[in-house]
Amino acid sequence: TAYSVAFSPDGNTLATASDNTVLLWSVKTGKITATLPIKASARNVAFSPDGTLLAADGNNGTGGIAQIWNVKTGRTTAMLSGTGYGRGIAFSPDGTLLATGSDFNAVLLWDVKTGKKTSTLSGHTNNSVASLAFSPDGSTLASGNYDGIWLWDVSTGQTTATLKGYTGTNSVAFSPDGSILATTSDGSALHLWDVKTSQTTATVSSYTGFLY
């Protein structure tokens, strides 16, 4: 079972996360080019912006881990412990930070080069942080949870806004210019938010069932 997928920035490679394994596939041939073992049930994968690194997180039964590999060599460059059961993962636009979601009401920021935790962003109130996205300029991190969406100042670790008014958050994504945030909810709706004002600019509710 593939729990998540991610294309490399150049579009030539597809990464898939499954139980205890991350696979790299050639988009052109459809064949596996690398098998990267991870000592966890892998849940999320993400390429660094320059495509040289790949990160995956997952549940290992002891607090969660994340692993970072050099894509070219397949070697592990960092192992992050205590990430919180694989709830989400995202590289900053400059590739220096990795954000991981957790099961303990927090987002963790890690130094990609050293593998050390640099910040704990606490404030969520409903346990699992389900989705993460950095703004294009890297200054803001959005985290989605059942208690709403929280926007964080990456440099200070402080909350800059909370976006609420619906049930649950399954995914978050910034527009290319960073001015709009798109979110999905368990109320089967897509919401667009003005990041500067924290106001909803549009809601699409013609879906049925859950959005993932």
Side-chain angles (χ1 to χ4, degrees), residues 15-192:
T16 62
S18 59
D19 290 335
N20 305 116
T21 305
V22 174
L23 300 177
L24 300 183
W25 305 76
S26 168
V27 173
K28 185 176 181 179
T29 67
K31 295 182 178 180
I32 296 172
T33 60
T35 300
L36 309 176
I38 178 172
K39 294 181 179 180
S41 179
R43 286 296 184 267
N44 304 282
V45 286
F47 281 94
S48 62
D50 64 4
T52 61
L53 300 176
L54 178 73
D57 65 357
N59 182 3
N60 65 348
T62 59
I65 65 169
Q67 196 164 337
I68 303 174
W69 295 269
N70 180 298
V71 173
K72 186 176 182 180
T73 66
R75 294 181 178 178
T76 300
T77 63
M79 184 74 76
L80 318 178
S81 298
T83 57
Y85 302 106
R87 295 299 180 180
I89 195 167
F91 279 96
S92 62
D94 64 5
T96 62
L97 294 175
L98 185 72
T100 62
S102 76
D103 259 357
F104 37 85
N105 298 329
V107 178
L108 308 179
L109 296 182
W110 307 80
D111 185 296
V112 170
K113 187 175 182 179
T114 66
K116 302 296 185 182
K117 184 169 60 178
T118 62
S119 299
T120 299
L121 311 181
S122 299
H124 280 288
T125 59
N126 197 30
N127 212 8
S128 301
V129 177
S131 53
L132 298 167
F134 280 93
S135 62
D137 65 4
S139 65
T140 301
L141 178 68
S143 59
N145 194 352
Y146 280 91
D147 61 359
I149 303 149
W150 295 53
L151 301 183
W152 308 86
D153 184 311
V154 174
S155 63
T156 66
Q158 299 300 306
T159 306
T160 59
T162 55
L163 314 179
K164 299 186 179 183
Y166 56 92
T167 304
T169 300
N170 289 316
S171 61
V172 291
F174 282 93
S175 62
D177 66 0
S179 65
I180 300 294
L181 184 71
T183 71
T184 62
S185 74
D186 280 354
S188 303
L190 169 69
H191 305 270
L192 299 182

Side-chain angles (χ1 to χ4, degrees), residues 188-207:
S188 303
L190 169 69
H191 305 270
L192 299 182
W193 305 81
D194 184 304
V195 174
K196 187 175 182 179
T197 65
S198 300
Q199 298 300 308
T200 306
T201 62
T203 299
V204 180
S205 56
S206 59
Y207 298 102

